[in-house]
Amino acid sequence: MMPFPISEATPVRFAGPLPDACDVVVIGGGVIGVMTAWNLAERGLRVTLCEKGRIAGEQSSRNWGWIRQQGRDFGELPIMMESLRHWKSLSQEFGEALGFRQEGVMYLARTEAEMAGFEAWRAEARSFGVDTEMQSAGQVAERIAGAATPWKGGLFTASDARAEPWVAVPLLAEGAQARGAVIVENCAVRALDIAGGRVTGVVTEQGSIACDQVVLAGGAWSALFARAHGVAIPQLSVRATVMATEPLPQVFAGNAADDAFAFRRRADGGYTLAPGAAHDFFIGPDAFRNFGLYLPVLKKDFRSTKFLPAAPSHYPDAWGTPRRWAADATSPFERMRVLNPEPSARIVADVCQSFAACFPHLGAPKLKAAWAGMIDTMPDVVPVVDRVAALPGLVLATGMSGHGFGIGPGFGRVIADLVAGNDTGHDLHRFRLTRFTDGSKIAPGPSL
């Protein structure tokens, strides 16, 4: 099968040069970091984005490619609706290359209990103005051709969309660079420079940059970096497996999922397939440290998680990964430039079996690629987007919990205005860091 298209062997596309000083440093070249840098540059701020490996090398290129409002936490939903507007604008700038298409998202129910959950979400989402509709079994059959699965019905949002992640995010980085952002790949930020109790710059493997503010958008690496500076983020990572088929006849033009498998049509005529909910979790020191905070979501979603005793060497929460390092020495971020997990063979087999059972006229799908990514997740499956009160100058933008690709353009705008001291236009209370320490009840977002 084909290797994943972005790896440490991918030629460097963004090489700086590294400045001595700027206004803001963004750590991490996923969609959140890229779109934050884009928006900061548009506001006239001097911004440098440092990526330890390759732009979009990790989860931002390895996700399903869905751009969905449907099923969002209601704290996220207004930002996601804004994000969809940005995606439409971006598609006008970049054209077909972005892979943006509005073909809708369909959630499929095998039980009446699932239908009731869909209706509960739709009823509350109605007040936001989302075009989500319940679908009967007959309506589902009309939309999804030749399916043998006896779905009870579904939830459908026609305005939801998709794009091709490993193409889209590097294109967005080119757009950020064109607006004045400096982007430097192969440039790990080892540490923050701190003086007088606040951020005064960063130390990278290529040299130091003086700055007043830093945005930490390091995905699966954020908690490791933050803890080294005394900032605790209860973030863990799960391995998510995805695969791509060879071209197949179209059964549905959009994105769809039930509890067994998910699929979306791709521009090459194949489908991106993934499990509906299953993922793997490597147990490490942070898992023990944060166990209590994760109990609510574990109780809600325990059966979909396979627990593995240890992560591979140099992963963020591997047992042997250092938690402290010197700023003038090689950091953990340089030892693992691009997280490239092996996909789960068990999940690949299960998804292919589920897809073939659902579409017997297509048979077992022939795969052209299979890969995995590490999703940065939070105890309530909702991001942290907040200033760190204990360390002025540091802004967190992490824990996107598998929701980051679609909402990236919206959150990038929000984070840039947060950094710039402008009105963000949205209530960010749901995303505050202190929710994990101020006695608030951990309330997991919708598991839709």
Side-chain angles (χ1 to χ4, degrees):
M1 289 194 287
M2 294 171 53
F4 194 75
I6 303 177
S7 72
E8 192 173 340
T10 303
V12 169
R13 293 171 61 176
F14 303 92
L18 200 73
D20 294 327
C22 65
D23 297 314
V24 187
V25 169
V26 176
I27 302 175
V31 66
I32 299 298
V34 165
M35 292 310 299
T36 298
W38 171 306
N39 282 277
L40 287 168
E42 281 196 330
R43 282 150 184 74
L45 294 171
R46 297 173 302 155
V47 55
T48 302
L49 187 157
C50 295
E51 165 53 48
K52 66 183 177 63
R54 299 294 181 273
I55 291 294
E58 298 187 347
Q59 185 56 23
S60 283
S61 62
R62 297 165 184 266
N63 58 81
W64 299 0
W66 291 27
I67 299 170
R68 66 173 176 87
Q69 303 156 102
Q70 183 167 297
R72 290 272 177 178
D73 183 273
F74 294 112
E76 290 184 344
L77 185 54
I79 300 174
M80 183 59 231
M81 295 174 72
E82 176 188 336
S83 195
L84 182 59
R85 296 193 295 270
H86 293 312
W87 276 109
K88 292 178 184 178
S89 176
L90 292 167
S91 70
Q92 295 175 359
E93 178 171 342
F94 292 102
E96 291 293 325
L98 203 63
F100 177 83
R101 293 184 67 88
Q102 284 184 282
E103 304 281 5
V105 162
M106 175 83 79
Y107 285 170
L108 300 158
R110 294 174 183 254
T111 67
E112 293 296 342
E114 287 177 308
M115 287 292 284
F118 292 170
E119 172 56 28
W121 186 89
R122 188 198 68 85
E124 189 166 350
R126 185 186 310 166
S127 64
F128 292 84
V130 184
D131 60 327
T132 303
E133 299 177 348
M134 294 295 292
Q135 301 286 287
S136 67
Q139 289 172 313
V140 168
E142 289 177 3
R143 291 188 184 277
I144 301 180
T149 302
W151 290 306
K152 299 289 186 180
L155 188 71
F156 182 64
T157 305
S159 61
D160 280 350
R162 67 174 186 265
E164 198 57 70
W166 60 66
V167 177
V169 180
L171 279 177
L172 298 177
E174 290 180 3
Q177 185 175 253
R179 284 160 173 79
V182 175
I183 301 178
V184 194
E185 293 178 313
N186 254 21
C187 185
V189 175
R190 292 172 171 173
L192 300 175
D193 264 335
I194 300 172
R198 65 163 296 114
V199 171
T200 58
V202 299
V203 180
T204 83
E205 63 181 294
Q206 295 187 25
S208 295
I209 309 172
C211 64
D212 294 324
Q213 298 195 76
V214 171
V215 176
L216 178 55
W221 299 92
S222 294
L224 179 65
F225 184 91
R227 182 168 287 278
H229 296 85
V231 178
I233 309 173
Q235 176 180 298
L236 299 176
S237 299
V238 296
R239 180 178 69 174
T241 294
V242 189
M243 59 221 78
T245 75
E246 297 287 356
L248 290 167
Q250 180 169 297
V251 294
F252 181 54
N255 317 322
D258 67 7
D259 60 352
F261 72 103
F263 62 99
R264 74 155 170 95
R265 189 70 168 165
R266 293 201 321 275
D268 66 4
Y271 282 92
T272 292
L273 305 181
H279 50 260
D280 303 306
F281 177 69
F282 297 108
I283 298 172
D286 285 345
F288 286 93
R289 183 180 291 115
N290 298 311
F291 178 75
L293 287 171
Y294 278 83
L295 274 176
V297 75
L298 281 173
K299 291 176 181 177
K300 189 175 181 180
D301 201 27
F302 184 81
R303 287 182 296 176
S304 64
T305 304
K306 180 177 177 61
F307 294 90
L308 302 171
S313 296
H314 305 305
Y315 275 43
D317 197 30
W319 290 99
T321 297
R323 267 53 187 178
R324 294 287 186 273
W325 54 89
D328 59 355
T330 301
S331 70
F333 316 112
E334 294 147 79
R335 298 188 188 279
M336 179 63 73
R337 295 281 182 189
V338 177
L339 268 176
N340 187 25
E342 286 293 320
S344 164
R346 168 186 60 86
I347 288 177
V348 169
D350 288 350
V351 169
C352 288
Q353 183 178 12
S354 295
F355 186 83
C358 181
F359 301 108
H361 64 290
L362 299 181
K366 183 178 180 182
L367 300 183
K368 64 189 298 185
W371 63 89
M374 299 300 292
I375 295 176
D376 50 315
T377 191
M378 301 301 297
D380 48 11
V381 204
V382 174
V384 170
V385 176
D386 197 5
R387 291 187 175 278
V388 178
L391 188 50
L394 179 60
V395 174
L396 302 179
T398 193
M400 294 294 151
S401 304
H403 309 161
F405 179 68
I407 205 169
F411 256 135
R413 198 280 303 160
V414 167
I415 296 160
D417 279 327
L418 179 65
V419 169
N422 301 330
D423 181 1
T424 64
H426 296 288
D427 182 359
L428 303 185
H429 184 75
R430 178 73 163 131
F431 313 117
R432 71 197 187 284
L433 177 62
T434 55
R435 68 187 190 266
F436 303 113
T437 56
D438 63 7
S440 298
K441 181 180 178 181
I442 301 302
S447 55
L448 296 180

